[in-house]
Amino acid sequence: MIDFALLIVIAICVIALGLAAVLTRNLLSQDQGTPKMREVADAIRVGAEAFIKRQYSTIAMLAIVFAVVIFAVYYLTNQQPLALATALSFIVGAACSAVAGVVAMWIAVRTNIRTAAAAQTSDGKALDFSFRGGAISGLIITSMSLLGVSLTYIALGADPTHTPFVIIGFGFGASFVALFAQLGGGIYTKAADVGADLVGKVEAGIPEDDVRNPATIADLVGDNVGDCAGRGADLFESTAAENIGAMILGVALFPIFGVNGILFPIAMCALGLLASMIGILSVRGKDGADPMDAMNRGYYITAIISAIFLYFGVQWLLGSIPNWIYFFLAGLVGIALSVAFLRVTLFYTDHNYRPVKEIADASETGAATNIITGFSVGLETTAVPAILIGISLLLSYWFGTMTGITNGGLYGTAVATIGMLMVCAYVLTMDTFGPIADNAGGIVEMSQAPDEVRNRMDKLDAAGNTTKALTKGYAIGSASLAVFLLFNAYMADIAKLTGKAFEVVNLASVPVFVGALLGAMLVFLFASLAIRAVSKTAQSVIGAVRTQFKDPAIMEGSKKPDYAAVIDITTQGALKNMVLPGILVIGFPIIIGITMKYEALAGFLMVATITGILLALILNNSGGAWDNAKKFIETGAHGGKKSEAHKAAVVGDTLGDPFKDTAGPSLHVLIKLLATLTLVLAPLFI
């Protein structure tokens, strides 16, 4: 018999999918603009779909190989009953993650044209369309994650003390696909962006998204395959892996809460999905208003309703102990952390605050001072988030211990993680809104729409840049709590496999110290390879664009450039260069675990996690600050477009592009992949 909590989860997911279907039908019935707009939008759609098809074909082959490896590990370590179940759950998780990315991209490339068409008459209507497009992705991806975990749990027997350890294969499969999706999409989008900016804006002095630039379509395609497909897969695996990690910790409390403590994570995330639906439906565009006002209001509505649902959810599922209210307070810590991370990210990446203004001021004296100031801002951004993460873990752990139950402290951190995840669907909506607005702005520019239409889209595009930066902050914040959760789940799994307590990792032990050192090294090496991949691919794009610019007819506007040639170059470069970093991340911890065993791997995992969080903050926020400093100057500050300050800011933004859209987001996935990988392959490291 299926537990009532699972039925609630499934019912809410079905409601969310139904709402997504209604929104999709309404959106697809809207006007698609002028023939010129449709021509540009069709080119973006074809390019995005071609890349996704080739990328996921490559990922599928790698996933099948690794499923065989998982099966072999369990079979050869005398755990034959788990071999097939874990390998199959890995395949299911990988497939669901791939579908999540494809759905996000599919919706985005059909929403951009309708947003551009709406901007011809109303900026409020354009916001409605682009936000609804993001909402469709957010609802479908979050629902799929919760349904995937729930149905896999049921299919594998729904044994509360055993099944959570098996379905970690689902989380690892999701992480596996998300890494390659985020990395490949990130390389593609930033190689095209760098090529378009350096040759178009700096060398040729033509506007962004100018129809004469051969790299513009590739750049707009990149927004979809990187920011939509990549981030969709990223947050899909976040929800899946964190829920499974919390379920594993719930096993230790089975004597106290029974199955309720194990199903609590997915039940709360389902209630958060319901809160997100209410928040999404509350957002309404208004002509002349700041788009961020409407979206921020929807976010706070979602957070408040999530807190109310959390109270009743904790009482329902964990109310069998007298001090259950402390678990509710731990969950509030997670919700508060999500709000705090968004505000901190806004401070460091919005032009209304000191950091971005400092970078813009430094641009007056050239690209070097712009870069120096921007990098210092990136380093500075580690301070407040690290303190916030630390306070959140300490507070939630303390609240958990105040319940008076054994292992209550660790479960308190799990509840905080789930609290942060409750708003995931709304955050994903804001994230997908960003590239949709960016694409719509490109369509308007390339179709040579009137200035008033461009001005409407510029405002929406600026809001999209802000939401993309904010959601990266949320993603790394949720990842930071998740990896602590998954690290403890790894220790619990090792204790289960060895039959001995594993509660302490001795960093004074030489193998453990070496493992920790190599964990930190892997994070920097991976980031290096990701950034270098952008550079290599961008060099090919730059060469192709320069060659086409030598044709006077293209520069005069009497001949269309060959967009397809640049798209093909970017696709080949992204797919070729994503494989080595991905294989390195998967292979390296396996070698550490086999040669130095599980405690050294625990040190590796602990330090790689800490280093990955801090480096991701540096890369994400410095890149976002450079980007918005450039956009601030483009509004007319410091001489405006084509000024010396603007040229310096473009160089800084170009450096920040692979930071914030390739290496930084890929690190979110990397640290969770390491955690799920060590959980799945734990029998190999005993």
Side-chain angles (χ1 to χ4, degrees):
M1 182 178 174
I2 300 175
D3 285 279
F4 181 66
L6 278 176
L7 292 175
I8 293 292
V9 172
I10 294 169
I12 291 175
C13 290
V14 170
I15 292 169
L17 292 173
L19 177 58
V22 171
L23 293 176
T24 302
R25 186 184 63 187
N26 290 342
L27 189 64
L28 295 180
S29 67
Q30 302 300 325
D31 177 47
Q32 297 186 54
T34 65
K36 282 188 176 181
M37 286 182 174
R38 290 196 292 274
E39 183 181 351
V40 176
D42 286 345
I44 296 169
R45 178 180 54 77
V46 170
E49 290 174 351
F51 175 78
I52 286 292
K53 183 178 179 180
R54 290 173 63 176
Q55 183 188 39
Y56 280 107
S57 297
T58 304
I59 295 173
M61 289 187 288
L62 294 171
I64 291 169
V65 169
F66 213 81
V68 173
V69 171
I70 292 171
F71 179 86
V73 166
Y74 278 85
Y75 194 85
L76 297 175
T77 53
N78 297 317
Q79 297 190 77
Q80 287 87 349
L82 294 177
L84 185 60
T86 307
L88 285 176
S89 65
F90 170 83
I91 289 292
V92 172
C96 289
S97 183
V99 171
V102 171
V103 163
M105 185 277 299
W106 191 92
I107 293 296
V109 296
R110 285 159 177 79
T111 306
N112 53 17
I113 179 63
R114 290 160 176 86
T115 300
Q120 294 179 106
T121 56
S122 167
D123 51 341
K125 195 175 178 183
L127 170 61
D128 285 343
F129 287 1
S130 51
F131 187 79
R132 294 288 185 268
I136 294 165
S137 294
L139 294 172
I140 292 175
I141 290 169
T142 309
S143 299
M144 281 182 55
S145 179
L146 291 172
L147 280 175
V149 173
S150 301
L151 296 178
T152 304
Y153 175 82
I154 294 168
L156 293 178
D159 180 346
T161 60
H162 172 71
T163 308
F165 292 96
V166 181
I167 61 172
I168 191 60
F170 182 95
F172 179 44
S175 298
F176 184 92
V177 170
L179 178 71
F180 287 102
Q182 182 66 74
L183 183 60
I187 294 169
Y188 184 106
T189 183
K190 289 304 105 179
D193 195 3
V194 168
D197 281 358
L198 285 183
V199 187
K201 290 161 74 173
V202 177
E203 293 182 10
I206 60 178
E208 188 170 2
D209 297 328
D210 191 291
V211 69
R212 294 169 292 176
N213 192 331
T216 49
I217 295 293
D219 185 12
L220 294 170
V221 168
D223 292 331
N224 296 290
V225 300
D227 291 332
C228 293
R231 195 85 69 257
D234 177 3
L235 289 179
F236 173 91
E237 66 92 17
S238 287
T239 311
E242 290 157 34
N243 276 322
I244 294 168
M247 291 169 76
I248 289 173
L249 292 187
V251 173
L253 301 180
F254 183 74
I256 299 169
F257 296 120
V259 72
N260 285 352
I262 294 162
L263 299 181
F264 174 81
I266 53 175
M268 289 305 97
C269 285
L271 291 176
L273 176 59
L274 188 59
S276 295
M277 285 187 263
I278 298 169
I280 286 166
L281 293 174
S282 73
V283 175
R284 287 285 184 274
K286 185 178 179 182
D287 288 347
D290 184 347
M292 287 306 302
D293 290 343
M295 287 187 285
N296 284 335
R297 183 171 60 252
Y299 175 75
Y300 290 119
I301 289 172
T302 300
I304 291 168
I305 295 174
S306 292
I308 295 169
F309 285 167
L310 178 69
Y311 175 85
F312 290 107
V314 171
Q315 186 180 40
W316 166 37
L317 293 170
L318 307 180
S320 58
I321 60 171
N323 296 327
W324 61 266
I325 193 68
Y326 286 104
F327 280 136
F328 166 66
L329 295 175
L332 283 186
V333 169
I335 294 175
L337 183 63
S338 71
V339 175
F341 253 85
L342 292 180
R343 298 307 302 177
V344 170
T345 306
L346 185 69
F347 174 76
Y348 280 110
T349 58
D350 190 272
H351 72 268
N352 291 311
Y353 300 100
R354 184 259 306 167
V356 171
K357 287 182 178 178
E358 280 187 353
I359 297 172
D361 291 343
S363 302
E364 293 270 10
T365 50
T369 46
N370 169 285
I371 290 169
I372 291 168
T373 306
F375 191 63
S376 72
V377 166
L379 294 172
E380 179 190 329
T381 62
T382 59
V384 175
I387 292 169
L388 288 173
I389 293 167
I391 291 172
S392 299
L393 286 172
L394 289 170
L395 261 182
S396 58
Y397 187 88
W398 182 76
F399 282 135
T401 60
M402 290 301 292
T403 61
I405 63 174
T406 306
N407 296 316
L410 281 179
Y411 199 72
T413 64
V415 175
T417 305
I418 298 308
M420 192 167 190
L421 275 182
M422 288 182 76
V423 298
C424 180
Y426 190 91
V427 172
L428 187 52
T429 296
M430 289 201 301
D431 184 69
T432 312
F433 156 81
I436 289 171
D438 193 355
N439 261 215
I443 291 169
V444 165
E445 180 78 26
M446 293 188 71
S447 63
Q448 300 172 324
D451 288 343
E452 61 179 14
V453 181
R454 298 186 195 188
N455 291 337
R456 291 189 188 108
M457 279 313 311
D458 284 346
K459 185 164 65 172
L460 209 61
D461 188 14
N465 279 317
T466 301
T467 60
K468 284 190 288 185
L470 294 181
T471 48
K472 288 188 182 78
Y474 172 84
I476 193 60
S478 64
S480 62
L481 291 186
V483 289
F484 178 77
L485 180 68
L486 292 167
F487 178 74
N488 280 284
Y490 167 72
M491 295 181 75
D493 198 19
I494 292 295
K496 180 174 178 285
L497 289 167
T498 60
K500 298 184 294 183
F502 183 41
E503 298 174 347
V504 176
V505 179
N506 181 15
L507 283 172
S509 165
V510 173
V512 176
F513 182 84
V514 171
L517 177 67
L518 294 176
M521 176 277 293
L522 177 66
V523 169
F524 287 103
L525 180 59
F526 173 82
S528 166
L529 292 172
I531 293 169
R532 187 179 303 160
V534 173
S535 177
K536 285 181 178 178
T537 309
Q539 289 172 43
S540 300
V541 172
I542 288 169
V545 174
R546 283 175 175 166
T547 299
Q548 292 199 44
F549 274 175
K550 291 177 182 177
D551 186 338
I554 290 177
M555 297 308 292
E556 291 167 2
S558 59
K559 177 182 176 182
K560 284 179 62 175
D562 187 352
Y563 301 119
V566 179
I567 289 173
D568 192 55
I569 289 169
T570 316
T571 299
Q572 290 182 29
L575 295 179
K576 177 183 175 183
N577 289 306
M578 78 175 185
V579 175
L580 175 60
I583 296 298
L584 176 72
V585 168
I586 293 164
F588 202 73
I590 295 175
I591 294 171
I592 297 293
I594 290 174
T595 57
M596 293 190 287
K597 301 304 175 184
Y598 64 87
E599 189 179 8
L601 189 60
F604 172 95
L605 184 58
M606 182 190 300
V607 176
T609 293
I610 294 169
T611 309
I613 290 168
L614 296 177
L615 185 57
L617 286 167
I618 293 170
L619 297 173
N620 285 342
N621 291 332
S622 61
W626 269 315
D627 188 3
N628 282 331
K630 178 200 70 174
K631 285 186 166 53
F632 176 53
I633 292 172
E634 288 176 346
T635 63
H638 301 286
K641 293 182 179 180
K642 298 188 179 180
S643 65
E644 291 304 311
H646 182 240
K647 291 178 182 177
V650 170
V651 174
D653 175 45
T654 303
L655 172 62
D657 276 340
F659 280 25
K660 69 181 174 64
D661 288 323
T662 307
S666 296
L667 286 173
H668 307 166
V669 186
L670 178 144
I671 58 179
K672 287 173 286 185
L673 176 78
L674 293 177
T676 53
L677 182 149
T678 51
L679 266 171
V680 169
L681 299 183
L684 201 57
F685 312 135
I686 303 302

